[in-house]
Amino acid sequence: MTATTIPDPRPVQGGPRLAHTARLSFGGILRSEWIKLRSLRSTVWSYVIVVAISLGMAVLMSFSLANGMSGMDVSAAPPAEQTGMVLQSAVFGTYFGQLVVAVLGVLVISGEYTTGMIRSTLSAVPKRLPALAGKAVVLFVATLVVAIVTNLVAFGVAAAIFASNGVQVSLFAENVLLVLGGAALYLALVSVFALGIGTIIRSSAGGIAAVLGILLLLPTVFGLIPAEWAADVMPYLLSSAGMTMFMMIGADPATISGPNAWQSLLVVLGWLAVSLAGAAVLLKRRDA
């Protein structure tokens, strides 16, 4: 008779571990999401468009306001008014830039659903929520950095144009850095808000339509309603609160009818929290 050898079912001490015991750390998730973000063509083009819009609008607004001051004694204008004109020109592109980063925020997640890559992402991160958090952190930081640098350059361009008309504004004048940073922060928050909406809807077209509707359509609709309650709601819409959170920094409280800059920041954070909460719940409950 031929002897049959039966394999020992016990694991060999020091042998290779099973693949399912491996866990991706949050640092690894961040590195993975950063690689995916910078590998997308939509990311590069979106940030290039944000920069182009911001600088282009800064030049356009600066020349428009500067030419409007022709024949005026600009040196007699209060320093706060001079600073306001330069800042208005520098951050004017934020209104259009929010639309671009909103589209990018949706594409960051909806693109994975379209290609099926989301299955690999969720397989590597079975708990799912760390994957969403990693995407949000990477997108927020990348957008914030791009927006800060862009706003600083836009301010420099606007200040140089106004300087030819006798308006001298320093980067370190009162509230200047707060306004520039607030505009950059708003763009970063909008991008993450859009990420949440994209996770909820899981469709590029649907997510983009929803986000742009919230940013553009809602203010238009409420603005057309001839009712006092509609006017009361307007300051609490995402785009309205977003503009207030940086444009009204340092403004006289008597000139503000609704929430001030800091209260408007809380309103924007509230919109962001609702978006991410809905995204987190549905990401856990639905299949990829």
Side-chain angles (χ1 to χ4, degrees):
M1 295 178 63
T2 304
T4 302
T5 303
I6 301 176
D8 188 350
R10 293 174 299 176
V12 179
Q13 186 174 3
R17 296 182 178 181
L18 295 177
H20 72 269
T21 61
R23 289 294 181 268
L24 190 62
S25 66
F26 190 66
I29 295 174
L30 292 178
R31 288 191 295 271
S32 173
E33 293 301 332
W34 167 239
I35 292 173
K36 286 191 284 187
L37 181 66
R38 62 187 174 88
S39 300
L40 294 174
R41 290 185 179 180
S42 57
T43 302
V44 176
W45 281 110
S46 295
Y47 288 144
V48 167
I49 293 173
V50 169
V51 173
I53 288 176
S54 297
L55 298 184
M57 290 296 102
V59 171
L60 180 62
M61 282 294 294
S62 298
F63 276 118
S64 299
L65 293 177
N67 291 334
M69 294 187 300
S70 299
M72 297 177 58
D73 185 8
V74 293
S75 61
E81 184 177 338
Q82 296 180 12
T83 302
M85 289 186 292
V86 176
L87 281 176
Q88 181 183 356
S89 300
V91 300
F92 184 70
T94 302
Y95 181 80
F96 303 97
Q98 67 175 337
L99 308 180
V100 180
V101 298
V103 171
L104 174 62
V106 172
L107 293 179
V108 164
I109 183 67
S110 65
E112 292 202 24
Y113 280 103
T114 301
T115 61
M117 186 183 293
I118 190 66
R119 297 186 184 89
S120 300
T121 299
L122 299 183
S123 296
V125 189
K127 292 184 178 180
R128 298 193 174 195
L129 294 188
L132 178 62
K135 289 181 182 295
V137 170
V138 169
L139 180 62
F140 176 85
V141 173
T143 306
L144 183 65
V145 171
V146 170
I148 287 176
V149 173
T150 301
N151 287 349
L152 289 174
V153 176
F155 177 83
V157 170
I161 295 174
F162 274 95
S164 61
N165 284 61
V167 176
Q168 300 293 334
V169 177
S170 170
L171 178 64
F172 303 102
E174 185 179 8
N175 295 323
V176 169
L177 289 176
L178 277 178
V179 172
L180 297 178
L185 176 62
Y186 173 60
L187 289 182
L189 293 176
V190 166
S191 68
V192 179
F193 169 80
L195 172 68
I197 297 299
T199 306
I200 293 172
I201 298 179
R202 303 200 297 185
S203 165
S204 297
I208 291 172
V211 173
L212 296 187
I214 292 171
L215 292 174
L216 291 179
L217 187 59
L218 278 184
T220 302
V221 170
F222 279 94
L224 294 176
I225 298 176
E228 184 177 351
W229 66 266
D232 293 337
V233 170
M234 279 286 289
Y236 298 94
L237 299 179
L238 177 58
S239 56
S240 301
M243 295 298 150
T244 302
M245 67 176 265
F246 63 88
M247 289 300 296
M248 292 301 174
I249 292 178
D252 184 357
T255 63
I256 304 176
S257 58
N260 60 29
W262 302 109
Q263 291 168 340
S264 296
L265 172 59
L266 294 178
V267 172
V268 174
L269 291 176
W271 281 88
L272 177 63
V274 171
S275 171
L276 289 181
V281 171
L282 293 178
L283 186 63
K284 289 286 288 185
R285 290 184 177 182
R286 294 188 302 201
D287 294 332

PDB file of all heavy atoms in Angstrom, residues 92-119:
ATOM      1  N   PHE A  92     -13.425  88.784  -6.833  1.00  0.00           N
ATOM      2  CA  PHE A  92     -14.609  88.764  -7.682  1.00  0.00           C
ATOM      3  C   PHE A  92     -14.765  87.421  -8.400  1.00  0.00           C
ATOM      4  O   PHE A  92     -15.872  86.937  -8.625  1.00  0.00           O
ATOM      5  CB  PHE A  92     -14.534  89.902  -8.710  1.00  0.00           C
ATOM      6  CG  PHE A  92     -15.758  90.016  -9.573  1.00  0.00           C
ATOM      7  CD1 PHE A  92     -16.956  90.442  -9.043  1.00  0.00           C
ATOM      8  CD2 PHE A  92     -15.699  89.681 -10.920  1.00  0.00           C
ATOM      9  CE1 PHE A  92     -18.093  90.546  -9.843  1.00  0.00           C
ATOM     10  CE2 PHE A  92     -16.825  89.781 -11.726  1.00  0.00           C
ATOM     11  CZ  PHE A  92     -18.023  90.214 -11.188  1.00  0.00           C
ATOM     12  N   GLY A  93     -13.656  86.791  -8.760  1.00  0.00           N
ATOM     13  CA  GLY A  93     -13.704  85.516  -9.469  1.00  0.00           C
ATOM     14  C   GLY A  93     -14.209  84.353  -8.636  1.00  0.00           C
ATOM     15  O   GLY A  93     -14.521  83.287  -9.178  1.00  0.00           O
ATOM     16  N   THR A  94     -14.331  84.551  -7.322  1.00  0.00           N
ATOM     17  CA  THR A  94     -14.812  83.478  -6.452  1.00  0.00           C
ATOM     18  C   THR A  94     -16.224  83.054  -6.820  1.00  0.00           C
ATOM     19  O   THR A  94     -16.575  81.874  -6.721  1.00  0.00           O
ATOM     20  CB  THR A  94     -14.765  83.923  -4.980  1.00  0.00           C
ATOM     21  OG1 THR A  94     -13.424  84.300  -4.644  1.00  0.00           O
ATOM     22  CG2 THR A  94     -15.215  82.812  -4.051  1.00  0.00           C
ATOM     23  N   TYR A  95     -17.046  84.016  -7.236  1.00  0.00           N
ATOM     24  CA  TYR A  95     -18.426  83.698  -7.593  1.00  0.00           C
ATOM     25  C   TYR A  95     -18.479  82.687  -8.741  1.00  0.00           C
ATOM     26  O   TYR A  95     -19.323  81.786  -8.754  1.00  0.00           O
ATOM     27  CB  TYR A  95     -19.176  84.965  -7.984  1.00  0.00           C
ATOM     28  CG  TYR A  95     -20.626  84.715  -8.338  1.00  0.00           C
ATOM     29  CD1 TYR A  95     -21.582  84.557  -7.339  1.00  0.00           C
ATOM     30  CD2 TYR A  95     -21.036  84.608  -9.663  1.00  0.00           C
ATOM     31  CE1 TYR A  95     -22.908  84.310  -7.655  1.00  0.00           C
ATOM     32  CE2 TYR A  95     -22.357  84.357  -9.995  1.00  0.00           C
ATOM     33  CZ  TYR A  95     -23.296  84.219  -8.983  1.00  0.00           C
ATOM     34  OH  TYR A  95     -24.608  83.955  -9.301  1.00  0.00           O
ATOM     35  N   PHE A  96     -17.575  82.809  -9.691  1.00  0.00           N
ATOM     36  CA  PHE A  96     -17.531  81.878 -10.821  1.00  0.00           C
ATOM     37  C   PHE A  96     -16.694  80.646 -10.476  1.00  0.00           C
ATOM     38  O   PHE A  96     -16.990  79.539 -10.931  1.00  0.00           O
ATOM     39  CB  PHE A  96     -16.960  82.573 -12.051  1.00  0.00           C
ATOM     40  CG  PHE A  96     -17.718  83.813 -12.440  1.00  0.00           C
ATOM     41  CD1 PHE A  96     -17.274  85.062 -12.039  1.00  0.00           C
ATOM     42  CD2 PHE A  96     -18.874  83.725 -13.186  1.00  0.00           C
ATOM     43  CE1 PHE A  96     -17.978  86.210 -12.391  1.00  0.00           C
ATOM     44  CE2 PHE A  96     -19.583  84.859 -13.544  1.00  0.00           C
ATOM     45  CZ  PHE A  96     -19.132  86.112 -13.140  1.00  0.00           C
ATOM     46  N   GLY A  97     -15.663  80.829  -9.653  1.00  0.00           N
ATOM     47  CA  GLY A  97     -14.824  79.708  -9.275  1.00  0.00           C
ATOM     48  C   GLY A  97     -15.560  78.658  -8.481  1.00  0.00           C
ATOM     49  O   GLY A  97     -15.236  77.458  -8.555  1.00  0.00           O
ATOM     50  N   GLN A  98     -16.589  79.062  -7.726  1.00  0.00           N
ATOM     51  CA  GLN A  98     -17.347  78.095  -6.934  1.00  0.00           C
ATOM     52  C   GLN A  98     -18.039  77.066  -7.821  1.00  0.00           C
ATOM     53  O   GLN A  98     -18.198  75.904  -7.432  1.00  0.00           O
ATOM     54  CB  GLN A  98     -18.379  78.823  -6.074  1.00  0.00           C
ATOM     55  CG  GLN A  98     -19.492  79.493  -6.869  1.00  0.00           C
ATOM     56  CD  GLN A  98     -20.567  80.107  -5.999  1.00  0.00           C
ATOM     57  OE1 GLN A  98     -20.749  79.711  -4.853  1.00  0.00           O
ATOM     58  NE2 GLN A  98     -21.291  81.082  -6.529  1.00  0.00           N
ATOM     59  N   LEU A  99     -18.425  77.479  -9.013  1.00  0.00           N
ATOM     60  CA  LEU A  99     -19.084  76.549  -9.932  1.00  0.00           C
ATOM     61  C   LEU A  99     -18.109  75.491 -10.437  1.00  0.00           C
ATOM     62  O   LEU A  99     -18.461  74.314 -10.587  1.00  0.00           O
ATOM     63  CB  LEU A  99     -19.681  77.318 -11.116  1.00  0.00           C
ATOM     64  CG  LEU A  99     -20.591  78.500 -10.759  1.00  0.00           C
ATOM     65  CD1 LEU A  99     -21.101  79.172 -12.021  1.00  0.00           C
ATOM     66  CD2 LEU A  99     -21.731  78.051  -9.875  1.00  0.00           C
ATOM     67  N   VAL A 100     -16.871  75.903 -10.661  1.00  0.00           N
ATOM     68  CA  VAL A 100     -15.854  74.981 -11.174  1.00  0.00           C
ATOM     69  C   VAL A 100     -15.477  73.952 -10.109  1.00  0.00           C
ATOM     70  O   VAL A 100     -15.420  72.743 -10.391  1.00  0.00           O
ATOM     71  CB  VAL A 100     -14.607  75.753 -11.639  1.00  0.00           C
ATOM     72  CG1 VAL A 100     -13.557  74.784 -12.175  1.00  0.00           C
ATOM     73  CG2 VAL A 100     -14.973  76.783 -12.696  1.00  0.00           C
ATOM     74  N   VAL A 101     -15.216  74.402  -8.885  1.00  0.00           N
ATOM     75  CA  VAL A 101     -14.825  73.454  -7.834  1.00  0.00           C
ATOM     76  C   VAL A 101     -15.997  72.566  -7.441  1.00  0.00           C
ATOM     77  O   VAL A 101     -15.804  71.432  -6.977  1.00  0.00           O
ATOM     78  CB  VAL A 101     -14.250  74.182  -6.605  1.00  0.00           C
ATOM     79  CG1 VAL A 101     -12.991  74.948  -6.975  1.00  0.00           C
ATOM     80  CG2 VAL A 101     -15.271  75.114  -5.964  1.00  0.00           C
ATOM     81  N   ALA A 102     -17.230  73.053  -7.624  1.00  0.00           N
ATOM     82  CA  ALA A 102     -18.407  72.223  -7.347  1.00  0.00           C
ATOM     83  C   ALA A 102     -18.472  71.057  -8.330  1.00  0.00           C
ATOM     84  O   ALA A 102     -18.732  69.910  -7.938  1.00  0.00           O
ATOM     85  CB  ALA A 102     -19.675  73.070  -7.429  1.00  0.00           C
ATOM     86  N   VAL A 103     -18.215  71.341  -9.587  1.00  0.00           N
ATOM     87  CA  VAL A 103     -18.190  70.275 -10.595  1.00  0.00           C
ATOM     88  C   VAL A 103     -17.077  69.279 -10.281  1.00  0.00           C
ATOM     89  O   VAL A 103     -17.270  68.059 -10.360  1.00  0.00           O
ATOM     90  CB  VAL A 103     -18.003  70.873 -12.004  1.00  0.00           C
ATOM     91  CG1 VAL A 103     -17.762  69.763 -13.030  1.00  0.00           C
ATOM     92  CG2 VAL A 103     -19.218  71.705 -12.396  1.00  0.00           C
ATOM     93  N   LEU A 104     -15.910  69.791  -9.900  1.00  0.00           N
ATOM     94  CA  LEU A 104     -14.800  68.908  -9.554  1.00  0.00           C
ATOM     95  C   LEU A 104     -15.153  68.022  -8.372  1.00  0.00           C
ATOM     96  O   LEU A 104     -14.849  66.820  -8.372  1.00  0.00           O
ATOM     97  CB  LEU A 104     -13.554  69.743  -9.229  1.00  0.00           C
ATOM     98  CG  LEU A 104     -12.340  68.955  -8.711  1.00  0.00           C
ATOM     99  CD1 LEU A 104     -11.866  67.963  -9.759  1.00  0.00           C
ATOM    100  CD2 LEU A 104     -11.215  69.910  -8.317  1.00  0.00           C
ATOM    101  N   GLY A 105     -15.789  68.589  -7.352  1.00  0.00           N
ATOM    102  CA  GLY A 105     -16.157  67.800  -6.183  1.00  0.00           C
ATOM    103  C   GLY A 105     -17.067  66.636  -6.523  1.00  0.00           C
ATOM    104  O   GLY A 105     -16.919  65.537  -5.973  1.00  0.00           O
ATOM    105  N   VAL A 106     -18.001  66.858  -7.430  1.00  0.00           N
ATOM    106  CA  VAL A 106     -18.895  65.771  -7.853  1.00  0.00           C
ATOM    107  C   VAL A 106     -18.112  64.709  -8.630  1.00  0.00           C
ATOM    108  O   VAL A 106     -18.264  63.506  -8.400  1.00  0.00           O
ATOM    109  CB  VAL A 106     -20.040  66.327  -8.716  1.00  0.00           C
ATOM    110  CG1 VAL A 106     -20.854  65.187  -9.332  1.00  0.00           C
ATOM    111  CG2 VAL A 106     -20.944  67.232  -7.885  1.00  0.00           C
ATOM    112  N   LEU A 107     -17.250  65.156  -9.552  1.00  0.00           N
ATOM    113  CA  LEU A 107     -16.524  64.204 -10.404  1.00  0.00           C
ATOM    114  C   LEU A 107     -15.552  63.328  -9.626  1.00  0.00           C
ATOM    115  O   LEU A 107     -15.263  62.203 -10.029  1.00  0.00           O
ATOM    116  CB  LEU A 107     -15.766  64.972 -11.495  1.00  0.00           C
ATOM    117  CG  LEU A 107     -16.621  65.697 -12.538  1.00  0.00           C
ATOM    118  CD1 LEU A 107     -15.733  66.434 -13.518  1.00  0.00           C
ATOM    119  CD2 LEU A 107     -17.525  64.714 -13.273  1.00  0.00           C
ATOM    120  N   VAL A 108     -15.037  63.837  -8.506  1.00  0.00           N
ATOM    121  CA  VAL A 108     -14.075  63.073  -7.713  1.00  0.00           C
ATOM    122  C   VAL A 108     -14.666  61.735  -7.281  1.00  0.00           C
ATOM    123  O   VAL A 108     -13.973  60.714  -7.258  1.00  0.00           O
ATOM    124  CB  VAL A 108     -13.618  63.897  -6.489  1.00  0.00           C
ATOM    125  CG1 VAL A 108     -12.940  63.014  -5.452  1.00  0.00           C
ATOM    126  CG2 VAL A 108     -12.661  65.000  -6.930  1.00  0.00           C
ATOM    127  N   ILE A 109     -15.960  61.728  -6.941  1.00  0.00           N
ATOM    128  CA  ILE A 109     -16.582  60.482  -6.483  1.00  0.00           C
ATOM    129  C   ILE A 109     -17.422  59.827  -7.570  1.00  0.00           C
ATOM    130  O   ILE A 109     -17.408  58.601  -7.724  1.00  0.00           O
ATOM    131  CB  ILE A 109     -17.445  60.739  -5.224  1.00  0.00           C
ATOM    132  CG1 ILE A 109     -18.033  59.425  -4.698  1.00  0.00           C
ATOM    133  CG2 ILE A 109     -18.544  61.745  -5.517  1.00  0.00           C
ATOM    134  CD1 ILE A 109     -17.010  58.466  -4.159  1.00  0.00           C
ATOM    135  N   SER A 110     -18.144  60.623  -8.361  1.00  0.00           N
ATOM    136  CA  SER A 110     -19.019  60.028  -9.381  1.00  0.00           C
ATOM    137  C   SER A 110     -18.221  59.318 -10.463  1.00  0.00           C
ATOM    138  O   SER A 110     -18.684  58.330 -11.045  1.00  0.00           O
ATOM    139  CB  SER A 110     -19.908  61.104 -10.008  1.00  0.00           C
ATOM    140  OG  SER A 110     -19.139  62.050 -10.725  1.00  0.00           O
ATOM    141  N   GLY A 111     -17.008  59.805 -10.728  1.00  0.00           N
ATOM    142  CA  GLY A 111     -16.162  59.141 -11.706  1.00  0.00           C
ATOM    143  C   GLY A 111     -15.821  57.725 -11.305  1.00  0.00           C
ATOM    144  O   GLY A 111     -15.703  56.828 -12.160  1.00  0.00           O
ATOM    145  N   GLU A 112     -15.674  57.481 -10.023  1.00  0.00           N
ATOM    146  CA  GLU A 112     -15.369  56.129  -9.544  1.00  0.00           C
ATOM    147  C   GLU A 112     -16.573  55.207  -9.707  1.00  0.00           C
ATOM    148  O   GLU A 112     -16.426  54.018  -9.979  1.00  0.00           O
ATOM    149  CB  GLU A 112     -14.917  56.169  -8.086  1.00  0.00           C
ATOM    150  CG  GLU A 112     -13.572  56.843  -7.878  1.00  0.00           C
ATOM    151  CD  GLU A 112     -12.913  56.423  -6.580  1.00  0.00           C
ATOM    152  OE1 GLU A 112     -13.224  55.327  -6.060  1.00  0.00           O
ATOM    153  OE2 GLU A 112     -12.076  57.193  -6.069  1.00  0.00           O
ATOM    154  N   TYR A 113     -17.767  55.748  -9.519  1.00  0.00           N
ATOM    155  CA  TYR A 113     -18.965  54.934  -9.751  1.00  0.00           C
ATOM    156  C   TYR A 113     -19.134  54.624 -11.234  1.00  0.00           C
ATOM    157  O   TYR A 113     -19.582  53.537 -11.611  1.00  0.00           O
ATOM    158  CB  TYR A 113     -20.204  55.654  -9.217  1.00  0.00           C
ATOM    159  CG  TYR A 113     -20.378  55.531  -7.725  1.00  0.00           C
ATOM    160  CD1 TYR A 113     -20.054  56.578  -6.874  1.00  0.00           C
ATOM    161  CD2 TYR A 113     -20.871  54.353  -7.161  1.00  0.00           C
ATOM    162  CE1 TYR A 113     -20.212  56.462  -5.498  1.00  0.00           C
ATOM    163  CE2 TYR A 113     -21.029  54.226  -5.790  1.00  0.00           C
ATOM    164  CZ  TYR A 113     -20.701  55.282  -4.963  1.00  0.00           C
ATOM    165  OH  TYR A 113     -20.845  55.159  -3.600  1.00  0.00           O
ATOM    166  N   THR A 114     -18.774  55.567 -12.082  1.00  0.00           N
ATOM    167  CA  THR A 114     -18.909  55.367 -13.520  1.00  0.00           C
ATOM    168  C   THR A 114     -17.952  54.291 -14.029  1.00  0.00           C
ATOM    169  O   THR A 114     -18.327  53.435 -14.841  1.00  0.00           O
ATOM    170  CB  THR A 114     -18.649  56.679 -14.277  1.00  0.00           C
ATOM    171  OG1 THR A 114     -19.579  57.674 -13.834  1.00  0.00           O
ATOM    172  CG2 THR A 114     -18.790  56.487 -15.772  1.00  0.00           C
ATOM    173  N   THR A 115     -16.711  54.323 -13.545  1.00  0.00           N
ATOM    174  CA  THR A 115     -15.699  53.369 -14.012  1.00  0.00           C
ATOM    175  C   THR A 115     -15.706  52.066 -13.241  1.00  0.00           C
ATOM    176  O   THR A 115     -15.070  51.095 -13.654  1.00  0.00           O
ATOM    177  CB  THR A 115     -14.298  53.995 -13.897  1.00  0.00           C
ATOM    178  OG1 THR A 115     -14.028  54.317 -12.521  1.00  0.00           O
ATOM    179  CG2 THR A 115     -14.207  55.268 -14.737  1.00  0.00           C
ATOM    180  N   GLY A 116     -16.391  52.029 -12.104  1.00  0.00           N
ATOM    181  CA  GLY A 116     -16.391  50.830 -11.270  1.00  0.00           C
ATOM    182  C   GLY A 116     -15.238  50.780 -10.290  1.00  0.00           C
ATOM    183  O   GLY A 116     -15.109  49.808  -9.521  1.00  0.00           O
ATOM    184  N   MET A 117     -14.390  51.815 -10.278  1.00  0.00           N
ATOM    185  CA  MET A 117     -13.264  51.840  -9.365  1.00  0.00           C
ATOM    186  C   MET A 117     -13.708  51.903  -7.906  1.00  0.00           C
ATOM    187  O   MET A 117     -12.953  51.548  -6.999  1.00  0.00           O
ATOM    188  CB  MET A 117     -12.362  53.034  -9.675  1.00  0.00           C
ATOM    189  CG  MET A 117     -11.065  53.075  -8.854  1.00  0.00           C
ATOM    190  SD  MET A 117     -10.072  54.544  -9.199  1.00  0.00           S
ATOM    191  CE  MET A 117      -9.607  54.213 -10.896  1.00  0.00           C
ATOM    192  N   ILE A 118     -14.949  52.336  -7.674  1.00  0.00           N
ATOM    193  CA  ILE A 118     -15.438  52.445  -6.306  1.00  0.00           C
ATOM    194  C   ILE A 118     -15.415  51.090  -5.607  1.00  0.00           C
ATOM    195  O   ILE A 118     -15.229  51.011  -4.385  1.00  0.00           O
ATOM    196  CB  ILE A 118     -16.872  53.036  -6.305  1.00  0.00           C
ATOM    197  CG1 ILE A 118     -17.299  53.394  -4.879  1.00  0.00           C
ATOM    198  CG2 ILE A 118     -17.846  52.085  -6.956  1.00  0.00           C
ATOM    199  CD1 ILE A 118     -16.524  54.501  -4.255  1.00  0.00           C
ATOM    200  N   ARG A 119     -15.571  50.002  -6.368  1.00  0.00           N
ATOM    201  CA  ARG A 119     -15.526  48.670  -5.758  1.00  0.00           C
ATOM    202  C   ARG A 119     -14.137  48.386  -5.190  1.00  0.00           C
ATOM    203  O   ARG A 119     -14.008  47.818  -4.101  1.00  0.00           O
ATOM    204  CB  ARG A 119     -15.908  47.604  -6.784  1.00  0.00           C
ATOM    205  CG  ARG A 119     -17.328  47.727  -7.319  1.00  0.00           C
ATOM    206  CD  ARG A 119     -17.676  46.543  -8.214  1.00  0.00           C
ATOM    207  NE  ARG A 119     -18.993  46.693  -8.811  1.00  0.00           N
ATOM    208  CZ  ARG A 119     -19.240  47.290  -9.965  1.00  0.00           C
ATOM    209  NH1 ARG A 119     -18.221  47.783 -10.670  1.00  0.00           N
ATOM    210  NH2 ARG A 119     -20.466  47.393 -10.438  1.00  0.00           N
TER     211      ARG A 119
END
